[in-house]
Amino acid sequence: MNRPFYEFTLKEAIGVAREGGLREILRALRDRIQALQPKINAFVRYDFDQDLSAVSSQSVVAGVPLAVKDNICIRGKETTCASKILKGHTPPYDAAVIERLKAAGATILGQCNMDEFAFGSSCETSSFGPTRNPWDTTRVPGGSSGGSAAAVAADMAIAALGSDTGGSIRQPASLCGVVGLKPTYGRVSRYGLIAFGSSFDQIGPLTKTVEDSAILMNVLAGHDPRDSTSAMQPVPDYTKSLVCDVRDLRIGLPAEYFVEGLDREVDKSVRAAAETFRKLGATIKTIRLPHTPYSVAVYYIVAVAEASSNLGRFDGVQYGLRIPTKEIREMYFETRDEGFGVEAKRRILLGTFVLSAGYYEAYYRKGQKVRTLIRKDFYEAFEEVDLILTPTSPTPAFKIGEKANDPLAMYLSDIFTIPVNLSGIPAISIPCGFTSSGLPIGMQLAARPFQEELIFRAAYTFEQETGIYKTKPKL
Ligand code: GLN
């Protein structure tokens, strides 16, 4: 049976493009996007009139079209973080990852919907309206890279880029049943990523398979002097780690992650995955990460502090929206009042508060100290195990509107992904099963800094053993 091209993995699509089938892939994707965009709203912009004349079919990506989150700057294309305040903002330069994708021969087909400025876990705070989950369109796709995850899950994109500050690649990957990798802090350049929390932000791939994730990491990873946090570490060939063997691996299950509040079916599915690893020869043990309960609180102090200073530059002078007034102070106030949505304002206010004189010591400095303890938990655990296995999100996809007016409930959606960002370590989310009602469940595998190869090997072994990725949403 012939599968339509839009269903192809990146690996398969590269093969087809090499044989001269690029235009057919592009056409298949265009038809698919046009058919499903009204239902899913995964994209905020797309461009089917690609100039393919410069594409080399022998390049790494061979012209295969990809999608990117709307917070990654593309030269000459509007880039808005799904915010009204950046309406009309057209960057004069490419982000480092866009340069790398273009150099590897990729075409950029479109920009994906997201929570405004990447603040959120549901894609509901976008000024373009919510994205819907391809598995059940009354549910959220997760966030903030919800558009990227939904596009890949619905076969509206072969693969996509997202960004992850507290879970924004992994949580939507989990809720949409795709693969999402947050690389080690410093592994991928953030030059040209519109900043949210600068001590957390990383760009990474959302893909249909683990192999595709490795292929894209070969393109994305590497040193960039324009990002002062970019690591000098050499980049391995990640596709070499795609070997089905976990017999030498010790995998830890943190006791603190399997507690009250964890959905019963998610719990069962992740434990079953641990059992699969055990059967394949890995050693499974229970570990402790004792400072876990402080993670969400610490994140919502440090990340909002960084966000409030990063968003200071959007004042109507240099970027996007400007509400014209007589006085410049009024112009700032009115532009920011009109341009930012409710969640962005909440974070700017909270962030400014925790950084203000008299509160800085009590909140921000204290938060940084506890962050060190959380990181230490991981480093100690990695003396006993090679990988840590957890659920990615405590629940499967929730209903649109269910948590929209309850910020705390929304923040708790990232309870298992946030500690990873606080520690700077790499982690992947891959599908590990389905609920009885057919919603995807994701599991997270985390490793020591710069051990993406171990993550890929274990994730690939599990994926090949179970074949879960072959199940697709009915659309
Ligand atoms: N959902 C988390 C937040 O709202 C994480 C977002 C992200 O990783 N960008 O901050």
Side-chain angles (χ1 to χ4, degrees):
M1 201 178 71
N2 272 342
R3 289 150 64 224
F5 283 133
Y6 54 74
E7 278 192 8
F8 278 33
T9 65
L10 177 58
K11 168 83 177 194
E12 292 169 331
I14 291 170
V16 172
R18 292 231 164 101
E19 304 288 305
L22 182 56
R23 270 167 219 285
E24 276 164 87
I25 296 177
L26 206 56
R27 229 174 294 130
L29 280 169
R30 182 196 59 200
D31 295 349
R32 181 75 171 172
I33 292 172
Q34 282 172 343
L36 290 181
Q37 174 64 9
K39 199 162 162 184
I40 306 291
N41 196 29
F43 285 90
V44 299
R45 269 165 240 106
Y46 39 71
D47 177 8
F48 300 124
D49 298 316
Q50 297 286 341
D51 176 13
L52 300 178
S53 58
V55 165
S56 154
S57 62
Q58 294 316 306
S59 59
V60 180
V61 188
V64 172
L66 303 175
V68 303
K69 189 175 180 178
D70 189 31
N71 59 352
I72 298 175
C73 291
I74 306 179
R75 182 159 54 92
K77 295 244 190 259
E78 195 183 7
T79 304
T80 66
C81 287
S83 177
K84 270 202 283 183
I85 207 160
L86 280 175
K87 194 168 168 35
H89 170 58
T90 305
Y93 67 99
D94 277 329
V97 292
I98 300 294
E99 287 175 350
R100 282 176 168 273
L101 283 179
K102 287 181 177 171
T107 37
I108 311 295
L109 186 61
Q111 293 157 284
C112 291
N113 203 6
M114 57 184 283
D115 282 293
E116 184 183 9
F117 283 103
F119 301 152
S121 308
S122 67
C123 232
E124 290 167 291
T125 68
S126 165
S127 70
F128 296 97
T131 296
R132 291 168 184 276
N133 192 310
W135 295 87
D136 174 351
T137 54
T138 67
R139 293 179 186 268
V140 304
S144 63
S145 314
S148 302
V152 174
D155 291 317
M156 298 164 78
I158 300 286
L161 296 190
S163 68
D164 192 314
T165 307
S168 276
I169 291 174
R170 291 159 288 154
Q171 185 260 15
S174 162
L175 271 47
C176 289
V178 298
V179 175
L181 176 78
K182 184 205 84 79
T184 309
Y185 184 73
R187 181 71 296 184
V188 175
S189 170
R190 290 105 41 93
Y191 176 77
L193 170 70
I194 300 175
F196 161 6
S198 304
S199 73
F200 304 88
D201 298 341
Q202 266 294 292
I203 295 170
L206 288 121
T207 55
K208 299 178 188 182
T209 64
V210 176
E211 180 176 38
D212 286 357
S213 190
I215 292 172
L216 278 180
M217 277 303 285
N218 277 358
V219 175
L220 300 173
H223 180 63
D224 178 2
R226 297 166 300 182
D227 173 356
S228 63
T229 66
S230 166
M232 295 282 200
Q233 209 88 359
V235 180
D237 177 352
Y238 291 109
T239 60
K240 292 229 166 78
S241 41
L242 304 172
V243 179
C244 289
D245 186 1
V246 291
R247 284 171 303 175
D248 59 330
L249 296 182
R250 299 163 301 168
I251 302 178
L253 299 179
E256 292 78 3
Y257 284 56
F258 294 85
V259 290
E260 180 83 43
L262 176 62
D263 178 274
R264 205 176 36 82
E265 290 182 294
V266 175
D267 185 349
K268 218 174 121 201
S269 179
V270 177
R271 286 184 195 277
E275 190 49 32
T276 301
F277 278 125
R278 203 186 54 76
K279 280 197 196 121
L280 293 168
T283 308
I284 305 293
K285 36 166 127 176
T286 302
I287 54 161
R288 305 304 304 245
L289 298 169
H291 294 92
T292 300
Y294 306 108
S295 300
V296 174
V298 166
Y299 173 81
Y300 279 96
I301 290 170
V302 180
V304 296
E306 294 178 7
S308 75
S309 50
N310 275 325
L311 267 53
R313 60 172 69 92
F314 304 117
D315 56 6
V317 178
Q318 295 186 72
Y319 309 97
L321 182 76
R322 176 183 303 166
I323 305 292
T325 54
K326 278 211 206 88
E327 298 290 330
I328 186 148
R329 269 175 69 85
E330 264 174 55
M331 191 279 282
Y332 296 151
F333 289 149
E334 293 201 11
T335 301
R336 286 172 71 85
D337 187 36
E338 176 67 24
F340 286 126
V342 173
E343 183 60 24
K345 284 179 186 159
R346 177 166 21 244
R347 300 216 181 185
I348 292 168
L349 289 170
L350 277 172
T352 307
F353 174 76
V354 300
L355 288 173
S356 58
Y359 295 100
Y360 177 86
E361 293 285 327
Y363 294 108
Y364 186 75
R365 235 177 100 84
K366 185 62 139 261
Q368 291 287 29
K369 288 183 178 168
V370 181
R371 179 179 189 172
T372 304
L373 296 175
I374 292 166
R375 184 181 296 151
K376 234 177 102 223
D377 280 357
F378 278 102
Y379 281 51
E380 283 171 12
F382 284 127
E383 303 207 333
E384 278 180 67
V385 294
D386 305 298
L387 291 165
I388 296 177
L389 172 64
T390 77
T392 305
S393 180
T395 66
F398 45 93
K399 290 267 185 192
I400 292 177
E402 188 180 323
K403 300 184 183 182
N405 298 314
D406 186 350
L408 210 56
M410 190 70 86
Y411 296 172
L412 287 170
S413 184
D414 292 308
I415 192 160
F416 301 142
T417 48
I418 281 173
V420 164
N421 301 77
L422 288 166
S423 309
I425 61 177
I428 203 167
S429 177
I430 62 167
C432 65
F434 294 91
T435 65
S436 49
S437 58
L439 295 172
I441 298 173
M443 68 180 186
Q444 172 174 253
L445 282 163
R448 299 179 195 96
F450 301 103
Q451 299 221 325
E452 280 85 356
E453 291 162 285
L454 273 192
I455 290 179
F456 280 138
R457 174 148 67 92
Y460 183 73
T461 305
F462 182 84
E463 181 193 70
Q464 296 303 308
E465 173 71 18
T466 59
I468 290 169
Y469 68 100
K470 291 181 197 144
T471 309
K472 300 240 174 210
K474 288 181 195 69
L475 278 160

